[in-house]
Amino acid sequence: MIVTIKSISDIDLSRANFPESFGSIDRSWKEEIIYFLLVDRFHDGIERPIDAYSTDNNPESPLLNTRYGGTFKGIRSQLDYIKKLGCTCIWLSPIFENYEESYHGYAIRNFLSTDPRFGSLDDLKELVNEAHQLGLRVVLDVVINHTADTWSYAEDSPSYTGSAFNFGKWKDDEFPLPKELRSTSYYKKSGAIINWDLYPETQEGDIFELKKLILDNSIVGKEVMQVVIKIYSYWIKELDLDGIRLDTVKHLLPSSVAVFCEGIKEYASYLGKKSFMVFGEVVGDDKLLKKYLKPQKIESTYKKGLDAVLDFPLHFILEDVIKGKRDVSSLYKVYRSKQKMLTQLNKNWSDLIVFADNHDQIGQEHKARLAYDSNEKEVLAIIGFLYFLYGIPCIYYGTEQLLNGNGRHDSWLREPLFDKNRNINFHNREINLYQEISRLASLRTNMSVFKEAEMEIDDISFDNTEFLSSEYTNKVIYWSKRIYEDKLIMIYNPDKREKASICAKLSTNSLRIKSKFEYVYGGIGELPVQEINGCGYLNIDLNPQQFVILK
C-alpha cells in the first residue's frame, strides 16, 4: 500500500525501525571523487548497443528542453560504470516531483514525493542501497530557496522593486506540498530578480517564475525554516543519504544557510551519521564563499555554515589556463586566495569541491561543455589538474564521453547519455578518455598523501634561458606540491605543434634533494636530478599537448 504524505506532521523522524547499516561509509571526504549527474539525462534502464558519443548529435535539439526519460533504475544499472571510472560518490540532481514542463528537478511542487517519471521511492531506495554496497556515497541536490511556479501574482509578471506585491491565486488545489507551504504568508512576494548581483534584490526576489520562500530570522521565517529542515531530515532518514548539496546559496542569507546546516547536521548526527556533508552552490568570488563557510552569530549563539562550497573561482579560470587563454599566474592567484581564506576560517582543502564543468553556466552568453572546441588531450589535462591541485574533485556526467553541448541555454549542456531515436547508449568504457580518467583516479587514491599537500613554487627555464618563477610562464602549466621529502610535479604543454624543453630548479624548501623523479602518468621511466651548489635541477621534454605527473 502506497502511503501519500501531505504534511510534515505525517513524517516520523524518530529512530523507530532505524536500520543499523545507516552511516556505514565513514572514510574521509577528502578521499572522494564526486560524479554529478542529472537523473533525467543519465540512463533510462533500457539495454541498447554501446557506442561512442558523436558530434552528429544535435546539441540544440528541442528534446533537450523537455523530459527525456532517465530513471532511478537506469542509474542503478550503471553504478558499476561510475565506480570503474574511479568515482566514489554520486551527486543526484533533485529527485522531487516537478510540474510536467520541468525535467531538471529544481522547480519542486511536492517536496515529499519522488517525481514519478523518475521512479518510485522504493526504486530510489534500491539505488542508494546498491550504491552503498559498492562503496559509493550518495549526495542529494536540495532546494530551500523557492518552490515551483505554484501560484501567480495579482499583478501581471511583476519585477523586483523592493516592495511587496499582492498574492493572486494558487495554480491548482493540490500543490505545493507539504500543505504547510500553502500558506501565502510564507512567500516573499517581491517579483522577479532583474539585477542578479545587486543586494538585497538577489536575496529577496524570485528566480524567474519560481516563488521565493521567507527564510530569515523573522517569526514567519523561522516557521518556514523548520518546515524545510523537517522535509530534508525525512529524506536523509528514508534514503540513508551521506550528504546534501544546497542549491542557489547566494540567494539565501548566510545566517539562514547556517541555521539550515545546523538543523540538518544535528538530525544526521542523531541518526548516527558522523561524517554527513552539506556543501553549497555559491556562485561568486572568495569573499562571497567565505561568508557562507564561516560561523554566523544568530541572536546569542554562533551557528556553523556550510561544510564545503563549490569552487566557482577555480571553475571560471582552469579551462582557460589549460587552453592558453589566461595567464598561468591566475591559477596561482586562485590558489593563494583559497589558502588565505582557509587559514582565516581554520578550514581544510577538502572543504572545497573543485570542478571544471557543470550544468548551469550562470552569466555566460554562450554556454559550452569542456569538450566543445577542445580535443581529448585538453580535456584530459583539465581533469588531471583538477584531480591533483586541491580539494574534492567533481566530474560532470558525460565529460568522460566527450559530450560537447553548447548554445545559448543551459539545456544544451544537458545532453542524454542515451539516444532513444538511434537506439544507442553512450556508457562506453572502451574509449580512451574514460580509461585515462579512471587511471588518474586510481593514481589520486594511491597518492593520497598529496591531497592536503601545499603548493611549492619552482623556477623553470626554457631552452637554457634565464630561470623564471613557474607562476609567470605561459609556455607550460607547471605545478609542484611537496609533503615532507616527497614531491609531486604536474606539467602540461598547451602548444598543439611545438615541443617544450624545460629545466626546473627544484625549490630549496625540500628537506633533501632526491636523485631522480619517476613518471607516474604521461610518460615512462625516470628522470635524473642534477645537483649543483645544493640545488636540484630536473630536465623535462614535453611533446605538444603532453600532460605528465612526476614523483
Side-chain angles (χ1 to χ4, degrees):
M1 179 180 176
I2 299 176
V3 178
T4 302
I5 301 175
K6 295 188 175 182
S7 169
I8 58 171
S9 63
D10 299 329
I11 296 174
D12 179 12
L13 295 180
S14 71
R15 297 185 64 173
N17 303 317
F18 187 72
E20 293 182 0
S21 62
F22 271 31
S24 58
I25 298 178
D26 59 358
R27 64 176 174 262
S28 169
W29 274 92
K30 70 180 180 181
E31 304 294 326
E32 305 302 333
I33 299 176
I34 301 172
Y35 188 87
F36 169 42
L37 63 86
L38 295 180
V39 176
D40 182 57
R41 301 300 160 92
F42 186 69
H43 200 288
D44 61 357
I46 297 175
E47 291 188 13
R48 302 181 181 90
I50 303 295
D51 202 351
Y53 185 78
S54 169
T55 53
D56 293 338
N57 293 279
N58 181 7
E60 299 186 11
S61 169
L63 292 174
L64 294 182
N65 291 308
T66 61
R67 161 83 173 145
Y68 195 78
T71 63
F72 301 140
K73 288 183 178 180
I75 300 170
R76 185 182 171 195
S77 72
Q78 295 298 323
L79 288 175
D80 188 60
Y81 168 90
I82 297 172
K83 184 177 177 65
K84 291 291 177 61
L85 184 62
C87 296
T88 59
C89 176
I90 301 171
W91 160 10
L92 298 173
S93 61
I95 52 81
F96 316 100
E97 184 178 356
N98 282 218
Y99 284 110
E100 187 68 28
E101 62 270 19
S102 174
Y103 66 88
H104 45 67
Y106 293 95
I108 305 170
R109 71 177 185 181
N110 186 352
F111 289 80
L112 299 177
S113 172
T114 61
D115 194 314
R117 298 174 295 176
F118 297 156
S120 68
L121 176 58
D122 285 340
D123 292 334
L124 183 54
K125 286 182 177 180
E126 289 173 359
L127 164 60
V128 176
N129 182 56
E130 189 165 329
H132 284 166
Q133 290 177 15
L134 291 171
L136 299 169
R137 277 183 161 132
V138 179
V139 169
L140 184 61
D141 210 326
V142 307
V143 181
I144 68 172
N145 178 70
H146 55 263
T147 71
D149 184 18
T150 53
W151 54 269
S152 61
Y153 285 95
E155 297 82 2
D156 185 23
S157 302
S159 298
Y160 183 88
T161 62
S163 301
F165 295 95
N166 297 304
F167 181 88
K169 62 180 181 179
W170 294 106
K171 191 171 184 177
D172 54 54
D173 294 331
E174 184 175 3
F175 301 108
L177 288 175
K179 65 181 183 181
E180 285 80 4
L181 295 181
R182 288 184 67 83
S183 170
T184 60
S185 66
Y186 279 12
Y187 296 87
K188 195 70 177 176
K189 297 189 282 290
S190 295
I193 297 170
I194 300 299
N195 302 296
W196 292 90
D197 292 312
L198 187 64
Y199 293 87
E201 179 175 347
T202 193
Q203 292 180 338
E204 293 182 351
D206 299 332
I207 299 176
F208 303 114
E209 74 282 355
L210 305 173
K211 297 304 187 286
K212 171 78 177 182
L213 289 164
I214 296 175
L215 290 165
D216 56 22
N217 200 38
S218 65
I219 294 175
V220 172
K222 290 178 180 179
E223 287 182 12
V224 181
M225 181 62 73
Q226 289 308 304
V227 171
V228 296
I229 287 174
K230 288 182 179 179
I231 286 170
Y232 293 116
S233 296
Y234 162 75
W235 286 106
I236 293 170
K237 181 182 177 183
E238 284 295 304
L239 299 178
D240 187 14
L241 295 174
D242 302 291
I244 59 177
R245 177 266 194 185
L246 184 57
D247 182 58
T248 55
V249 170
K250 71 174 284 185
H251 299 288
L252 297 160
L253 295 169
S255 57
S256 301
V257 173
V259 172
F260 176 76
C261 289
E262 182 170 278
I264 286 296
K265 295 208 57 153
E266 180 182 359
Y267 183 72
S269 179
Y270 169 72
L271 296 182
K273 293 178 173 292
K274 299 178 181 178
S275 57
F276 192 86
M277 166 82 87
V278 182
F279 67 91
E281 176 201 34
V282 186
V283 185
D285 59 17
D286 285 345
K287 290 182 179 179
L288 188 62
L289 268 59
K290 186 177 179 180
K291 288 182 180 180
Y292 292 95
L293 281 171
K294 70 179 183 180
Q296 298 290 318
K297 186 175 183 180
I298 301 170
E299 296 176 345
S300 60
T301 63
Y302 280 90
K303 297 184 185 296
K304 294 181 179 179
L306 294 163
D307 294 315
V309 290
L310 287 157
D311 190 352
F312 275 89
L314 178 64
H315 160 68
F316 290 141
I317 65 120
L318 180 59
E319 180 181 354
D320 284 349
V321 170
I322 296 297
K323 293 182 176 181
K325 298 177 181 179
R326 297 279 293 270
D327 289 344
V328 175
S329 60
S330 61
L331 186 59
Y332 283 81
K333 289 177 182 177
V334 165
Y335 180 91
R336 286 197 182 91
S337 179
K338 291 292 184 307
Q339 190 178 44
K340 179 180 179 181
M341 179 184 74
L342 295 175
T343 300
Q344 291 174 340
L345 295 174
N346 195 28
K347 303 283 270 182
N348 302 310
W349 287 110
S350 53
D351 298 326
L352 298 169
I353 312 295
V354 294
F355 66 102
D357 205 357
N358 71 339
H359 67 308
D360 190 8
Q361 295 183 9
I362 299 167
Q364 302 296 316
E365 188 171 335
H366 182 266
K367 304 166 188 287
R369 275 181 171 264
L370 282 184
Y372 171 70
D373 198 26
S374 304
N375 60 43
E376 182 178 316
K377 290 181 179 179
E378 288 171 327
V379 174
L380 189 58
I382 293 168
I383 299 301
F385 274 94
L386 195 69
Y387 276 14
F388 288 94
L389 281 176
Y390 60 81
I392 301 171
C394 178
I395 297 293
Y396 182 43
Y397 85 99
T399 299
E400 73 283 358
Q401 296 294 333
L402 283 174
L403 266 61
N404 57 0
N406 69 98
R408 292 170 295 168
H409 304 291
D410 288 323
S411 60
W412 295 344
L413 311 175
R414 303 169 181 176
E415 313 99 301
L417 268 176
F418 55 103
D419 190 321
K420 295 183 291 186
N421 295 327
R422 296 168 60 199
N423 196 37
I424 294 173
N425 289 336
F426 302 120
H427 301 79
N428 192 331
R429 308 183 192 198
E430 303 303 319
I431 64 170
N432 184 66
L433 183 60
Y434 178 94
Q435 295 183 358
E436 291 303 307
I437 291 176
S438 178
R439 281 187 61 200
L440 287 167
S442 179
L443 283 173
R444 186 178 187 276
T445 299
N446 293 335
M447 296 192 296
S448 61
V449 67
F450 287 104
K451 289 188 178 73
E452 297 288 319
E454 296 288 345
M455 172 187 69
E456 188 171 61
I457 296 178
D458 297 329
D459 291 338
I460 60 177
S461 171
F462 294 91
D463 300 316
N464 298 316
T465 60
E466 64 176 322
F467 281 91
L468 298 172
S469 173
S470 54
E471 64 183 308
Y472 294 118
T473 176
N474 287 316
K475 289 186 179 180
V476 298
I477 294 92
Y478 180 101
W479 196 268
S480 172
K481 300 176 79 172
R482 180 183 64 84
I483 184 164
Y484 193 53
E485 293 187 344
D486 281 349
K487 188 176 179 75
L488 186 76
I489 298 174
M490 292 182 291
I491 321 173
Y492 176 64
N493 175 17
D495 199 293
K496 295 181 180 180
R497 294 176 296 275
E498 299 293 329
K499 293 183 178 181
S501 296
I502 73 170
C503 179
K505 182 180 180 181
L506 306 180
S507 173
T508 54
N509 289 336
S510 299
L511 295 179
R512 181 166 59 87
I513 297 173
K514 300 293 182 70
S515 62
K516 63 185 178 182
F517 275 75
E518 63 176 336
Y519 282 99
V520 293
Y521 187 82
I524 300 174
E526 300 172 343
L527 293 176
V529 175
Q530 184 179 10
E531 185 173 352
I532 303 175
N533 297 326
C535 291
Y537 294 85
L538 183 68
N539 292 297
I540 309 159
D541 294 322
L542 295 167
N543 290 321
Q545 294 196 299
Q546 185 179 4
F547 170 69
V548 303
I549 303 177
L550 298 161
K551 178 177 179 293

